[in-house]
Amino acid sequence: MLYPGIIRKYRDDLPVAESSIVTLHEGNTPLFQSIRLVKELNLPIQLYYKLEGLNPTGSFKDRGMTYAVSKAHEAGFRAVICASTGNTSAAAAAYASRAGMLALVVIPKGKVARGKLAQAQIHGAKVFQVDGNFDAALNVVKEVAEHPKVTLVNSINPHRLMGQQSAAFEIVESLGDAPDYHFIPVGNAGNIVAYWRGYKAFHEKGLAKKLPQMCGFQAAGSAPIVEGHIIEHPETVATAIRIGNPANWKAAEEVAIESQGFIKAVTDEEILSAYKQVAQLDGYFCEPASAASIAGVIKMAEQGFFKKNASVVCTLTGHGLKDPDQAIEQSPAPIHISASSEELLKLIKL
Ligand code: F0G
């Protein structure tokens, strides 16, 4: 049978008229076990990556966007609007095109990774950029969304988080239970809330026996929740989570408390190191923001945090090809040779 996307898979949790469903068959992403990274770093755990970069637009945003755009279509809106550090706008643009709706996106100028901007553009979104950060862009779109023909598809829209819960459902289905710990990057702080709701929903239905501790990670230069105040000028190489005033701040703090987890920070160095390690040891290329979750696992393992053999899931939120400039910057330049095998073989040790 053709995999139908998350709305048809989880029909009772995501109510919408059948004729309004807008899907790119998102979801059903692999849960992929780390072999070499855990071994090389001596991590005493079973580590799994939820590969959200394998969604149709290359990030977890597709799960929320299929439902938000379907509901917008059902309600008869003409356009969707979002502020974005890149991935939300890519998903909004793709789903709006599938629905025959207009996508309006507002991004912080110069701070959106190239692949993401390319996606919004090729799907025909109207792209606006502001001299300011994500938080300034979000203020603009909230006002435009007061127009009767336009609806907001940032994660303030409750349908987004309802769709994003489906990733937690899939993890429970794959493992047969919730993991002991769930590690996740935190930007606007919606996804950590969505996962927790998803785990709790399956727990209440008796489909999971336990609940995970939710462990969120912000980038140190953009860590308002960790520092306890708005960051006026957030900075980090992980541009996806370069956010100084997260919309779901309160709810994310409640998740950390309720799940007996936490929200902490990792530095850009730790993020980039994890970004390279997962690519070079486990063969998976994620974007820098996604690697904040792995950086968090490495940091907590160093502090002896984990009970032995614990199951840990890391959400790798977006594909590495979203941000090719960062990958190239982090790697040695290609070596120039004359077109000769001899010269190549002289330059390597086998
Ligand atoms: N990882 C990636 C790759 C993201 O794009 C985002 C958020 C996050 C993590 C954080 O998730 O906001 O739910 O805490 N990106 C948003 C965007 C802000 O506009 O694409 P969150």
Side-chain angles (χ1 to χ4, degrees), residues 80-293:
V80 295
I81 189 165
C82 64
S84 184
T85 56
N87 282 324
T88 299
S89 58
Y95 283 83
S97 75
R98 182 87 171 165
M101 295 167 79
L102 177 65
L104 307 171
V105 315
V106 183
I107 57 173
K109 188 174 169 191
K111 295 293 181 183
V112 167
R114 247 203 293 193
K116 303 176 189 180
L117 182 57
Q119 287 179 290
Q121 290 179 309
I122 200 67
H123 288 301
K126 282 255 177 297
V127 181
F128 303 91
Q129 51 186 5
V130 295
D131 289 319
N133 56 37
F134 170 84
D135 309 285
L138 188 59
N139 289 336
V140 174
V141 302
K142 277 186 192 160
E143 284 172 27
V144 179
E146 281 166 23
H147 191 285
K149 290 189 178 164
V150 181
T151 192
L152 186 73
V153 291
N154 278 104
S155 58
I156 315 163
N157 177 331
H159 303 131
R160 280 275 313 278
L161 297 193
M162 287 172 77
Q164 284 172 213
Q165 291 183 69
S166 59
F169 299 164
E170 291 174 12
I171 291 168
V172 172
E173 286 165 358
S174 300
L175 293 177
D177 202 347
D180 295 314
Y181 305 94
H182 191 109
F183 277 61
I184 188 163
V186 173
N188 215 20
N191 212 24
I192 189 169
V193 176
Y195 269 89
W196 179 241
R197 288 184 188 159
Y199 283 125
K200 277 208 309 190
F202 263 36
H203 188 250
E204 275 156 28
K205 286 183 190 168
L207 297 170
K209 289 182 282 300
K210 58 187 173 192
L211 286 168
Q213 284 175 248
M214 298 299 299
C215 307
F217 284 85
Q218 300 195 293
S222 307
I225 301 178
V226 179
E227 293 192 19
H229 58 84
I230 292 171
I231 307 291
E232 292 292 341
H233 301 290
E235 274 311 334
T236 169
V237 287
T239 53
I241 53 172
R242 187 175 167 273
I243 294 176
N245 186 15
N248 298 290
W249 186 328
K250 272 255 146 59
E253 278 183 334
E254 283 163 19
V255 166
I257 294 166
E258 203 186 327
S259 72
Q260 295 168 8
F262 54 75
I263 296 174
K264 293 181 187 274
V266 278
T267 64
D268 279 4
E269 293 72 46
E270 289 168 325
I271 289 172
L272 290 173
S273 165
Y275 168 70
K276 286 186 265 189
Q277 291 190 89
V278 66
Q280 293 171 12
L281 294 170
D282 277 332
Y284 190 72
F285 183 25
C286 64
E287 65 172 287
S290 307
S293 58

